Amino acid sequence: MTGRQQRADAQRNYERILEVARTVVEEQGTQASLRDVARRAEVGMGTLYRHFPTREALLEALLRQRFDNLAARAEELEGAGDSHEALRQWLREFLRGASAYRGLTASMMTTISDEDSPLHASCSAMRGAAGRLVKRAQDDGHIRPDVDGMDVFALTSAVGWIAEQGPVVAERREHLFSLVLDGLAAGAVSGRGRRAAD
């Protein structure tokens, strides 16, 4: 086998392992069995460890891919006509991913303040792109002016974390998400003022 063929074969194995790992982590959470990943990917443990020497390395690759996809999606939605719907759609996609990867929310929140994390750059890019969606929705008068991208990110992440705690709460995920969106709406500020006056 030539060097080029070996590299192509290694790349296919890498992509196959990541594809399978994404499914296994969705099923089992961030403590998913690496042996199960290797078995389903039809590679040996040695091949898996050559690409991902630790569980953390595999999770980092999965999360980096997830963050990069979300950042690209946010940039794509920046051009949407309805800024409020664009933000709502992105947050729902963000929440869906956080709920699929049990344990993702905690891992994600850790990278926000850890500049030494290999995921920090991807996470920051994602948050920056999402922040621009928030700012655009604020400029259009849809989102209350006293919040920033971090507030929105933290609240949506909190819904994802709560949904991980059990099936009863998970069933309420969409309802909780709608409550967060209602609280972020520009009218929520004036509405609160009227209730206080009453």
Side-chain angles (χ1 to χ4, degrees), residues 14-191:
Y14 178 89
E15 292 171 357
R16 176 64 179 160
I17 291 168
L18 268 187
E19 178 185 346
V20 170
R22 188 179 306 113
T23 300
V24 175
V25 170
E26 286 177 2
E27 294 172 359
Q28 303 177 15
T30 53
Q31 295 304 309
S33 165
L34 296 185
R35 189 169 298 281
D36 199 14
V37 172
R39 180 182 59 79
R40 294 200 205 180
E42 300 180 344
V43 299
M45 290 299 291
T47 298
L48 187 147
Y49 283 127
R50 273 196 299 276
H51 290 290
F52 306 103
T54 64
R55 174 189 304 278
E56 289 69 28
L58 177 57
L59 291 174
E60 283 170 5
L62 280 176
L63 294 182
R64 184 181 298 110
Q65 190 177 66
R66 179 68 185 160
F67 294 162
D68 291 347
N69 288 343
L70 282 167
R73 180 63 174 144
E75 291 174 0
E76 178 184 322
L77 287 168
E78 282 186 61
D82 187 334
S83 59
H84 187 230
E85 181 55 33
L87 177 61
R88 178 190 296 269
Q89 189 171 334
W90 187 88
L91 289 174
R92 180 167 279 114
E93 291 179 21
F94 169 82
L95 179 59
R96 188 181 304 124
S99 299
Y101 291 80
R102 295 189 306 280
L104 170 63
T105 302
S107 300
M108 193 160 37
M109 295 308 288
T110 300
T111 67
I112 291 176
S113 57
D114 183 4
E115 295 185 1
D116 293 327
S117 166
L119 292 173
H120 183 75
S122 289
C123 187
S124 294
M126 177 193 68
R127 286 174 45 234
R132 291 191 293 274
L133 289 180
V134 173
K135 180 67 166 58
R136 183 166 168 252
Q138 283 177 317
D139 291 344
D140 289 346
H142 298 302
I143 299 297
R144 52 193 295 170
D146 61 334
V147 301
D148 60 19
M150 177 58 80
D151 294 332
V152 176
F153 185 75
L155 287 168
T156 308
S157 295
V159 172
W161 180 85
I162 291 169
E164 292 176 7
Q165 304 313 302
V168 174
V169 183
E171 291 173 0
R172 305 285 290 172
R173 185 186 67 183
E174 283 299 317
H175 178 66
L176 293 172
F177 177 62
S178 68
L179 290 177
V180 167
L181 290 179
D182 288 347
L184 292 172
V189 176
S190 59

